[in-house]
Amino acid sequence: MLHTVNKSPLERNTLESCLRLAAKGSAILLIEDGVYGALAGGQAAEKISGRMGDFTFYALGPDLAARGLSEAPLIDGIKIVDYGGFVDLAAEREAQQAWL
Amino acid sequence: MLHTVNKSPLERNTLESCLRLAAKGSAILLIEDGVYGALAGGQAAEKISGRMGDFTFYALGPDLAARGLSEAPLIDGIKIVDYGGFVDLAAEREAQQAWL
Amino acid sequence: MKFGILVNEGPFTHQASDSAYQFAKAALEKGHEVWRVFFYHDGVNNGNKLSEPQADDRNLVKLWSELAAEHNVDLVVCVAAALRRGIKDDVLAPGFRISGLGQLIEAGIVGDRLVVFGD
Amino acid sequence: MKFGILVNEGPFTHQASDSAYQFAKAALEKGHEVWRVFFYHDGVNNGNKLSEPQADDRNLVKLWSELAAEHNVDLVVCVAAALRRGIKDDVLAPGFRISGLGQLIEAGIVGDRLVVFGD
Amino acid sequence: MEEDDFDPEVVKRFLFVNRKAPYGTVYALESLETVLISAAFDQDVSVVFADDGVFQLKKGQDTTGINMKNFSPTFRALEGYDVEKLYVEKESLEARGLTEDDLVVDVEVLNSEELSKIMAAQDVVITN
Amino acid sequence: MEEDDFDPEVVKRFLFVNRKAPYGTVYALESLETVLISAAFDQDVSVVFADDGVFQLKKGQDTTGINMKNFSPTFRALEGYDVEKLYVEKESLEARGLTEDDLVVDVEVLNSEELSKIMAAQDVVITN
């Protein structure tokens, strides 16, 4: 399963719920305001850094860049993809679940 | 100041931010999905019950009823008002701030 | 007391417009004046006269128009927000007018209170 | 691969329609098919041809229409959601059609993947 | 164009996920309309309620004061449409101080681990 | 009707509160348009950035990849409109791992207690 998360973990419970309910081995792609979850600094970082063994994490590059996070320190192990990479993930994984 | 909070404290940080930034002595009125914050049971209850000395809390009755909470156990000390009571609060207090 | 109201969301998707309408009605019933309702962001969709909810559902566009007619409430749709969202005079419901964002600031200056409803 | 896409939000207020458009474009560039885009909830506002963003801003309604014309993408606006929100044939942009919610379920059955964008 | 592609023999696993409270936004109501339509397509339909979505099923809703339609009775009609797989997350109920007795309809209450397995086995996931 | 009521001598304290991130929603951009308009009315304008609203001021935004307009440079233009009271909540910055050096414009960083006092002293509060 490909899970997409588009909300900031500092504003809503969306990322937390995804991490609680996604099956291990899933891909989790942060898009839109969800990319704030990729920041290494700050209070939300451990939500993801503590689950690196359970999921493969991705963040959408164009959304990071728009928000001024291209040069920001991101959590180790998060892979950056573009829209083409998003399409590849959607095609590789058997279904997509959007966490809104 | 009259502060209105219209988001569920179980979904977003809205109520928490209001409680952090509202000046002591303010009125806080829970409306729309914000009325879930008035529930005595559950994880969010202590956000409000711990601040009863700092603020006067209100919840909008029609929004409680719509969500099936008229008979539910609410946090002690929250006053129930109707839309007329909302208007009175807005008129009594010198300004309104909506936490969205 | 003279109230101004700001509505940030369209009808149906968020409760903001419902709450604002109920607030306005209650204020008028208590003898207050609702001087202006300003519709910003998706709130401009409240002025779309093509809106046609199911028969057993409330029709907020019509309810706002009726309120304006009965109580002389100035319903202002922000022109910049409306252009983006395709709300133009062709589709504007009775009682609404399209004008600039300055009308919101003016509502804040002239009104005794500005009450905000949004998402 | 045959993609279906669901868009739950209108243009401008939420990024959902932008993300869906960028996804669709990237999928087509990779040689995939975008069989249908279904617009539900406030997503129906993507079909409003009166939408007129500022000159230096993207025009999502037009971008969707162009995508449909170039790549034969079926753009379906949900009739029930559209009626509520005042989106009717009079204001429908080229390439969009209004139809039932069953077309979303069909997109799920026929497509290899359904990808959802919303708020 | 759909006639060419549509195969009436295909049965897919459709999952509808409800994470939002009712009335504050229209998503809960419009999602329910999608579930009802899906029943006409003879697919394998499941509906999950988690986070504030469990509030959609709360007993005793009375919407007269907010001038909206109370759609919670419709959840009881789902069985008549052969939509019988309604799952509620236990952790979400508990976090809100609710129990199964608070709900308008019979559901299967599962913990997040059990629910996770069901959600992972779907072909099409529709959220709002 | 406004001509009768409008008194050009009135100066009120207007507060704009930004709690939402940019680009994911349009609120940040449209709120900035309101701030710019308010400057024409010679009122006492303050702008607060708290919670994810502080991300609106993050340096280095490049929106070409999402095909939107980067409006962050406009915050630097506010001074030219005599909008000079920009307040950022310290706790919000820290929770996001940001410092004042990460911001595109000079602001006053205040802790929540100090900010609370400023917010309480306003006549009109516009949020989005």
Side-chain angles (χ1 to χ4, degrees), chain A residues 59-83:
Chain A
L60 199 61
D63 278 323
L64 285 167
R67 289 159 181 82
L69 307 183
S70 288
E71 312 287 318
L74 302 185
I75 294 163
D76 273 346
I78 295 187
K79 300 177 170 65
I80 314 296
V81 294
D82 60 7
Y83 288 104

Side-chain angles (χ1 to χ4, degrees), chain A residues 4 6-7 12 31-33 60 63 67 83-96 98 100, chain D residues 1 3 8 14-20 22-24 26-28 30 32 112-119:
Chain A
T4 53
N6 75 341
K7 293 297 179 303
R12 301 208 211 187
I31 68 170
E32 302 176 1
D33 288 345
L60 199 61
D63 278 323
R67 289 159 181 82
Y83 288 104
F86 183 176
V87 171
D88 291 343
L89 283 168
E92 284 160 21
R93 300 284 172 154
E94 64 285 3
Q96 179 248 17
L100 304 170
Chain D
M1 187 158 277
F3 280 104
N8 287 341
H14 299 89
Q15 204 186 335
S17 177
D18 287 284
S19 298
Q22 299 293 347
F23 181 92
L28 291 163
K30 283 188 169 272
H32 296 295
D112 297 307
R113 299 284 184 278
L114 182 74
V115 184
V116 179
F117 296 88
D119 174 50

